[in-house]
Amino acid sequence: MWGFYFNELIRSLPFFIKGLWMTVAVSGLSLIMGTIIGFIWGILRASRNKILRSLIGAWVDLIRGTPFLVQVFIVFFILPGIGIELEAFPAAVIALTNLAACFICEIVAGGILAVSSGQREAATASGLSAYQQLRHIILPQAMRTILPPLVGQYVLLVKDSSVVSAIGVVDVTRVGWLTVQRIPEGIMVFGLVGILYFIVCYPLINLSNILERRMTVGATRL
Amino acid sequence: MISFKNVNKWFGDLHVLNNIDLEVEKGEVVVVCGPSGSGKSTLIRCINRLEPIQEGELIVDGMKVHDKKTNMTQIRAEIGFVFQSFNLYPHMTALDNITIAPIKVRNIKKAEAEKLGKQILARVGLGDKSKAYPTQLSGGQQQRVAIARGLCMRPKMMLFDEPTSALDPEMIGEVLDVMVDLAKEGMTMIVVTHEMGFAREVAKRVVFMDEGQIIEVAPPKEFFTNPKSERSKIFLNAIL
C-alpha cells in the first residue's frame, strides 16, 4: 500500500510545489512589507512622541495577545461587513504583514533603545539633526542587536503563514489537507509538507545563527 | 560669549541650578569644580541645550538658548563638547568619527573634511590612528579623538565635562597636554574638572559650585591660596 500511495504522492508533487510557491509568495510579500512597516513603527515606538508611542504599543499588544487565526478571520470574514471585500490572498497578506510588522516593531524599538544614550548626546552636541542621528549613528549600531532576532522572526512568520490555509489560500498546508483526502497516509503527506517548510526555513535559521555569531564576536565593525 | 542670567533648573524637586549668574568672555578658560552632585555638569550641558533650563536667560554667541524657538543646530555646530565617557561612535573609524558632523552639518566636501580631519588628528598626536576603530584605542587616545571631533567643526568654544575622570592615571597627562595647548592657542573653554594642576596652569578663573549654586569665582591663584568661603576650604582640603 505504502508504495502505491508513495507513487501517487510523487505524481502530486507539482501540486505541492505550487502550494509551496504560494506559501513563499504570501510570506515573502508579508515579510518585505512587514519589515518596512515594522521599522517605521519601531522607530516611532522608540521616539519621544508619547501619543504615537502608546498607540503603537497598544496595537502591538493587541495583535500579540490574540491568535493569528482569529486575526485572519477578522480580515477575511468581518471586514466585508463594513464594506471591505477582500480575496483570500490579499486578506492573508494583510493579516500576515500586520503580524510581522508588530513583532518586528518590538525588535527594532528594542534595538534602538539598547544604543547607549551617550551616542545620541554626542550626535546631538555636534549638531546632527534627529534624522541624521538615526540614519548615521543610531540605526547602524542598533542593526547589530536587531538583525539576528529579525531573521529568527522571519522563520516563525513563514511557519505562521500556514494559518492562512484556513481561509482557502492554497498554500502548502492547504495542499496537504486536500491531498490527504485522496491519499489517506497522514504521516507521509504531512511529512512532505513539513519537509517543504523546512527547505524554506533552514537557510534562514542558518543565516540567523551566522549573524548571531558575527554580531557578538566582531564588535568593531559590521 | 556665554552669559547666564538668573538661570534656574530643577530635576523634579531637586534644585540643580540655583540662580546662576556667569559671564564667560571670548578666549577665556574657565574651570568649574565642586563636589559631585553640585550641578557643574548640568551647568555646561545647558550651554548647548543637552539640558533645557526652566528659568532665566542663557545667551551663547548672541543666540538665546533659553528660548525654545531658537534653532540649536547652528549654535551646537559652534560648540565642541567632550564627554567623560568619550561617546565615540563605535561603528566608525577615528577619521569618520570626527568628519561626520563637518560633512553632514557644515556641508563640507568629504575629501576636504578628511584632509582637515587628518590634520586635527595629527595635532592631538594621533596622526597614525585615522583608520582605527574606537575599541582599538586606549582610553586616552579615545578621549583625544573625542577632542578632535569637537575641533573638526572649527568651533568657537569647547566644553569639557570631566574629560579625565574615566581615564587610567597614566593617560590623564596626554589628554591634559592637548587641552593645555588648546587653551594657549586662545580657545574659549569651560572645563569641569578636578585637575587642579590644569586649573593653575591655564584657567583665568575658577568657578566653585555646591548644591546648584555658584559659591565662589576667583582667579586660580587666589582660589587655591585664599578661598573665601567655608565650603571651598572644605572642598580644597578634601582634594588637594
Side-chain angles (χ1 to χ4, degrees):
Chain A
M1 280 310 272
W2 257 74
F4 171 72
Y5 285 132
F6 188 74
N7 285 339
E8 276 293 292
L9 193 62
I10 296 295
R11 231 170 298 151
S12 313
L13 257 185
F15 191 29
F16 277 86
I17 298 299
K18 249 176 124 178
L20 184 66
W21 174 236
M22 180 55 90
T23 290
V24 169
V26 170
S27 38
L29 268 176
S30 305
L31 289 186
I32 292 168
M33 294 193 293
T35 302
I36 296 167
I37 297 170
F39 265 83
I40 296 170
W41 286 357
I43 289 164
L44 295 173
R45 181 131 166 76
S47 76
R48 269 172 243 160
N49 188 323
K50 271 195 185 138
I51 300 166
L52 278 173
R53 228 166 49 190
S54 40
L55 268 179
I56 293 169
W59 180 247
V60 168
D61 286 347
L62 182 72
I63 294 302
R64 295 213 300 181
T66 51
F68 182 48
L69 183 63
V70 173
Q71 295 163 19
V72 173
F73 281 165
I74 288 175
V75 174
F76 190 59
F77 294 119
I78 299 180
L79 287 189
I82 56 166
I84 304 169
E85 201 84 41
L86 289 169
E87 301 274 326
F89 181 78
V93 170
I94 287 171
L96 192 60
T97 296
N98 178 55
L99 185 74
C102 285
F103 281 110
I104 292 167
C105 163
E106 290 300 273
I107 294 172
V108 170
I112 290 175
L113 293 174
V115 176
S116 82
S117 60
Q119 292 292 309
R120 198 181 284 272
E121 280 187 352
T124 304
S126 63
L128 293 172
S129 69
Y131 169 76
Q132 288 170 333
Q133 291 179 30
L134 191 69
R135 162 85 179 71
H136 299 289
I137 311 297
I138 307 295
L139 271 185
Q141 292 182 60
M143 284 315 281
R144 252 171 234 273
T145 329
I146 291 171
L147 269 181
L150 180 69
V151 179
Q153 191 64 50
Y154 287 170
V155 176
L156 295 177
L157 289 164
V158 168
K159 294 187 295 181
D160 283 345
S161 77
S162 65
V163 169
V164 305
S165 60
I167 55 169
V169 174
V170 189
D171 71 341
V172 73
T173 302
R174 181 99 187 144
V175 168
W177 279 116
L178 296 171
T179 307
V180 87
Q181 288 162 26
R182 273 189 307 116
I183 306 174
E185 284 291 345
I187 293 178
M188 209 163 74
V189 172
F190 280 99
L192 177 61
V193 170
I195 289 169
L196 292 174
Y197 274 108
F198 187 72
I199 290 172
V200 178
C201 291
Y202 187 62
L204 289 174
I205 293 171
N206 268 333
L207 179 62
S208 178
N209 288 340
I210 291 168
L211 287 171
E212 186 105 39
R213 242 171 292 144
R214 282 247 318 250
M215 298 298 152
T216 43
V217 175
T220 46
R221 57 181 312 174
L222 283 178
Chain B
M1 179 159 256
I2 302 168
S3 157
F4 289 80
K5 281 200 187 102
N6 272 319
V7 169
N8 280 288
K9 176 174 177 64
W10 290 264
F11 284 134
D13 289 337
L14 184 69
H15 201 165
V16 64
L17 292 181
N18 189 344
N19 270 323
I20 299 291
D21 280 299
L22 182 67
E23 300 273 337
V24 177
E25 302 292 320
K26 189 166 187 290
E28 206 180 0
V29 178
V30 172
V31 161
V32 183
C33 63
S36 70
S38 58
K40 51 198 192 309
S41 287
T42 309
L43 179 85
I44 66 165
R45 287 164 61 87
C46 288
I47 294 170
N48 64 358
R49 211 199 276 160
L50 279 179
E51 303 281 357
I53 63 169
Q54 276 126 22
E55 259 180 43
E57 267 188 19
L58 173 51
I59 295 174
V60 178
D61 195 25
M63 309 277 272
K64 294 176 182 164
V65 172
H66 57 275
D67 188 345
K68 290 207 163 54
K69 278 172 254 156
T70 304
N71 176 9
M72 288 304 294
T73 304
Q74 207 184 331
I75 306 174
R76 284 172 176 150
E78 303 299 343
I79 307 174
F81 199 104
V82 177
F83 297 85
Q84 179 178 350
S85 50
F86 328 140
N87 295 347
L88 294 179
Y89 311 130
H91 59 298
M92 293 182 182
T93 62
L95 188 61
D96 289 339
N97 258 282
I98 72 173
T99 55
I100 173 131
I103 293 168
K104 299 295 171 188
V105 181
R106 293 250 199 242
N107 294 315
I108 294 173
K109 282 201 190 74
K110 190 163 190 245
E112 206 177 313
E114 290 191 340
K115 198 174 143 211
L116 174 66
K118 281 177 184 159
Q119 281 170 14
I120 288 174
L121 278 177
R123 185 171 148 196
V124 299
L126 296 170
D128 54 338
K129 298 288 185 192
S130 65
K131 288 204 171 69
Y133 284 86
T135 47
Q136 298 165 329
L137 299 171
S138 72
Q141 291 171 330
Q142 288 191 51
Q143 193 60 303
R144 283 186 282 154
V145 173
I147 295 172
R149 177 168 64 180
L151 294 177
C152 209
M153 289 293 275
R154 296 253 178 250
K156 291 184 178 158
M157 65 200 90
M158 290 284 288
L159 308 178
F160 296 81
D161 187 4
E162 305 208 26
T164 56
S165 301
L167 294 174
D168 291 333
E170 75 270 23
M171 293 172 181
I172 291 176
E174 63 192 59
V175 172
L176 288 179
D177 286 347
V178 170
M179 292 168 61
V180 168
D181 284 348
L182 258 181
K184 287 183 173 161
E185 283 164 28
M187 175 64 79
T188 309
M189 293 164 70
I190 301 185
V191 184
V192 174
T193 186
H194 291 159
E195 292 296 333
M196 293 304 140
F198 174 81
R200 267 201 203 95
E201 190 175 350
V202 294
K204 192 169 161 221
R205 287 183 297 162
V206 175
V207 172
F208 175 71
M209 288 184 73
D210 195 13
E211 293 178 341
Q213 288 174 303
I214 293 182
I215 306 291
E216 191 165 346
V217 182
K221 214 172 180 180
E222 203 180 310
F223 179 71
F224 291 123
T225 52
N226 187 20
K228 299 267 182 312
S229 80
E230 215 37 54
R231 278 190 271 187
S232 317
K233 283 176 197 162
I234 295 169
F235 175 75
L236 285 172
N237 272 332
I239 66 157
L240 290 180

